[in-house]
Amino acid sequence: MQRSRALIAAAWILVGALVLRLVLPFGFPNYDTLYSLVWGQQLARGQVPTYNVALAPTPHPLAEVVGLVLSPLGAAATLGIVVAVAYIALAALPYLVYRLGSAWFSWPVGLAAAALLISRYEVLSYGVRAYVDIPFTCLVLAALLVETRKRRAGWPVIALLDVAGLLRPEAWLFAGAYWLYLAPKRGWRERATLAALVALPAILWLASDLAITGNLLWSLNHTQATASQLGRPTGLIKFPYTGARRLGEVLGPDGLIAAAIGGVLSLWLLRSRIWLGLCAGIVALFAFALVASSGLPIDDRYTFVLVALLAICAGAGLFGWRSLPKGHPRRALWQAGSVVCVIAIVAFIPWNATRLNQTFNSPNPKKQSLSAQLRVENDLVALTRRHAITLRCGAIGVPYHTPIPLLALELHASPARIVTKEIAHGSFLQAASRSVRLIYLLDPNDPPTNYPVPAHFRLTASNRSWRVYRRCG
C-alpha cells in the first residue's frame, strides 16, 4: 500500500514537473546554485573550494555534494540535471501542500492551497532558477506529512530535517523543536540517539566550514559581510516591517486575506486540525526572526515554509467550512468568509498576472525577466562552448560578478581566475549593450565596473549579448 502510494505521488510530481517545464521553459541555475556546482567540481578535482572570492554566496554542503557527484558528466549535463531537479522540486511543493491540506482538512482545501501557492510569481521564479529554498521547503513539508500520518514518528521526521539542514540551517531549529516534543515520551538511550541525529547536519556544516576555510563559522560570518556589502536589510529592529513585507510579496494581498480568514476560523472552530501547522508556523516564524537577528538578510525566499503553511490556511478560508458538521451554527459564517476569499482572489487576478508577466516575459531590461536572463546566459554558454572564451592567455575580465560562476563551471576553473578588475592580458568580456548589462546584473549594489576595453586587446568573438576581446602574451 505504501509503495503504491509512493509511486502515485512520484507520477503526479513528474507530470507536474513536465507541465511546469512546458508552461515556463525558462529554467536555469541561479548564481548561488552555480557556485555550489563549481565548488563541487573543485572537490572532484581534488581542490579546496574557493569560498573566499568577492560576493560568493553562502556555501550549502548538500548542493556542493550534488556538484561533486555530477562533475564527471560535464557542465552541460550538470546544468540540465540541476534544472530538471528544480522543476521536480517545484512540482513536489504544491503536491505536498495538497497532501497536508487534505490530511488536516479535506481535499478541496488541499487543492485550493496548492493552486494558490503555485500561482505565486515569487515561488515560480525561485523554483525554475533552482534555488535550494524550494527543495528545502519540500523536505520540511515532507517531515510534517510523515508526522501527520503517524504522531511522534521519531527518526523518519528527523532524517528528513537532517537532509534539509544541509541546505538551510533553519532546519536545525525544526529538528531541535521536534526533539523537545519527542523527549518526554522516550527513554534516555533513545533521547541520546535522536539528539545525535538532530545535531548531525550542524556538525557536518560546521566541520565543512572548518576544513575548507579554517573558520568554524565561515558561512555565518561571510553571509553577514555580504549582506552588509550589498546593503541588504537585516537586524531584529527591521524584522517586523521587512519580514511582513517579504511575506506579503510572496503570498500576495489575496493570499494574505484568505490566509487570515482561514487561519482565524480554523483556530476558533477546528483547532485540533490545525495545531501541527500552527506549531510548525511558530517555529518557522522564530527561525526567520533568528536569521534577521543574526545579521543575515531578510530575504523573501526565507519565508517559503511559512508561506506554504499560510497557503493551507488560505485553502481553509475557501473550503474549511466543509469540515464542520451540517447544521453547525458557525458554518454559514465560514461560508461567508469563503465568499470574501473568492472576491479577494478574483479581484487580484490582474495584479498577479502583471507580476507573472514581469517576472517571465517583460521586455523592460530593468525588470530582469527570466526569459531575457536565460537568453543572455545561453549566449554566454555558447561562447564558452565555441572556445571563444578561454583561460589560455590568462585571467578573464568580466564587467560584474554575475557571469563568474557560470564561466568557472563551463571552463572547469577556479572562480578566482575570473575577475572584475582590469587585466593586462587574457580574455575580456563586455556586455554588448546597456540592456544586457541591466538584464544580467546580480544586484543593484553590484554596479558594472564599466572598464574600457584594455589596450592591445582585439575583438575575437561576439553575439547578440556579449563581445570577447583577447590579448595573449
Side-chain angles (χ1 to χ4, degrees):
M1 183 67 177
Q2 287 184 346
R3 185 177 180 182
S4 63
R5 181 189 291 175
L7 289 173
I8 292 171
W12 275 112
I13 291 170
L14 288 175
V15 169
L18 288 172
V19 171
L20 286 168
R21 179 63 176 170
L22 290 171
V23 175
L24 301 171
F26 310 115
F28 58 90
N30 69 87
Y31 179 87
D32 292 18
T33 299
L34 284 169
Y35 255 112
S36 293
L37 297 176
V38 169
W39 291 330
Q41 193 183 73
Q42 288 187 286
L43 287 170
R45 296 196 297 267
Q47 299 172 352
V48 176
T50 312
Y51 285 178
N52 193 19
V53 291
L55 295 188
T58 306
H60 300 282
L62 184 58
E64 291 177 47
V65 170
V66 171
L68 170 64
V69 172
L70 295 180
S71 179
L73 302 179
T78 295
L79 293 172
I81 292 170
V82 168
V83 169
V85 171
Y87 277 95
I88 291 170
L90 186 58
L93 183 60
Y95 178 82
L96 289 163
V97 165
Y98 165 74
R99 283 298 177 195
L100 284 169
S102 300
W104 294 349
F105 295 98
S106 62
W107 71 264
V109 170
L111 189 61
L116 186 138
L117 183 66
I118 202 60
S119 67
R120 305 299 95 174
Y121 74 95
E122 294 268 22
V123 173
L124 292 169
S125 172
Y126 282 113
V128 300
R129 287 183 289 160
Y131 274 87
V132 299
D133 306 86
I134 297 294
F136 164 77
T137 304
C138 288
L139 288 163
V140 174
L141 295 180
L144 277 174
L145 186 58
V146 171
E147 181 63 19
T148 297
R149 289 174 173 168
K150 182 183 178 183
R151 292 301 163 88
R152 289 189 166 86
W155 73 263
V157 172
I158 296 176
L160 286 166
L161 294 174
D162 274 1
V163 179
L166 294 173
L167 291 174
R168 289 209 57 82
E170 290 94 321
W172 308 348
L173 190 61
F174 278 98
Y178 185 63
W179 182 87
L180 292 174
Y181 166 68
L182 291 177
K185 301 289 185 179
R186 307 288 170 135
W188 285 105
R189 179 175 295 179
E190 193 171 5
R191 288 179 199 171
T193 301
L194 292 175
L197 193 59
V198 166
L200 183 60
I203 292 171
L204 291 175
W205 195 312
L206 296 173
S208 172
D209 276 2
L210 182 63
I212 292 170
T213 70
N215 180 358
L216 195 69
L217 299 176
W218 167 266
S219 294
L220 175 63
N221 298 155
H222 180 70
T223 308
Q224 289 169 334
T226 303
S228 176
Q229 183 179 354
L230 294 177
R232 299 279 174 81
T234 187
L236 199 55
I237 293 175
K238 293 183 179 179
F239 174 73
Y241 171 76
T242 307
R245 182 177 176 180
R246 295 289 183 261
L247 191 62
E249 287 170 352
V250 179
L251 200 54
D254 52 332
L256 287 173
I257 292 168
I261 292 172
V264 169
L265 290 172
S266 297
L267 288 172
W268 180 24
L269 302 172
L270 293 171
R271 192 175 299 113
S272 63
R273 291 175 179 263
I274 198 68
W275 79 269
L276 183 58
L278 175 64
C279 293
I282 291 171
V283 175
L285 184 61
F286 182 74
F288 193 25
L290 190 60
V291 165
S293 64
S294 301
L296 305 179
I298 307 172
D299 281 353
D300 45 9
R301 55 196 171 97
Y302 299 167
T303 67
F304 282 174
V305 172
L306 198 54
V307 164
L309 296 172
L310 288 173
I312 296 172
C313 291
L318 287 164
F319 295 110
W321 56 269
R322 291 169 53 94
S323 298
L324 294 174
K326 290 182 179 179
H328 191 285
R330 305 300 180 190
R331 205 170 198 250
L333 175 64
W334 201 320
Q335 289 171 331
S338 72
V339 172
V340 175
C341 295
V342 171
I343 292 171
I345 290 170
V346 172
F348 280 96
I349 286 176
W351 185 89
N352 284 307
T354 299
R355 277 146 187 80
L356 283 167
N357 181 63
Q358 289 176 348
T359 300
F360 292 102
N361 287 306
S362 174
N364 186 347
K366 292 183 179 179
K367 299 298 182 183
Q368 297 184 305
S369 72
L370 298 193
S371 58
Q373 288 187 51
L374 179 61
R375 182 182 70 246
V376 172
E377 190 161 291
N378 284 342
D379 287 348
L380 183 59
V381 169
L383 289 170
T384 63
R385 293 181 185 173
R386 283 167 41 199
H387 306 291
I389 305 174
T390 71
L391 289 159
R392 287 199 308 268
C393 298
I396 298 172
V398 294
Y400 41 53
H401 293 88
T402 317
I404 291 176
L406 181 59
L407 288 173
L409 185 73
E410 288 284 337
L411 299 173
H412 297 267
S414 166
R417 299 195 66 190
I418 304 159
V419 298
T420 58
K421 59 185 180 182
E422 292 186 90
I423 55 176
H425 55 83
S427 296
F428 181 79
L429 186 68
Q430 185 182 65
S433 65
R434 180 176 180 274
S435 64
V436 170
R437 288 198 299 271
L438 291 172
I439 288 166
Y440 208 50
L441 185 62
L442 170 65
D443 188 276
N445 294 316
D446 176 32
T449 54
N450 290 324
Y451 289 128
V453 178
H456 308 299
F457 276 63
R458 62 184 181 86
L459 181 67
T460 56
S462 65
N463 56 29
R464 60 186 169 176
S465 300
W466 302 101
R467 298 190 185 103
V468 183
Y469 299 83
R470 185 181 300 164
R471 181 191 181 195
C472 293

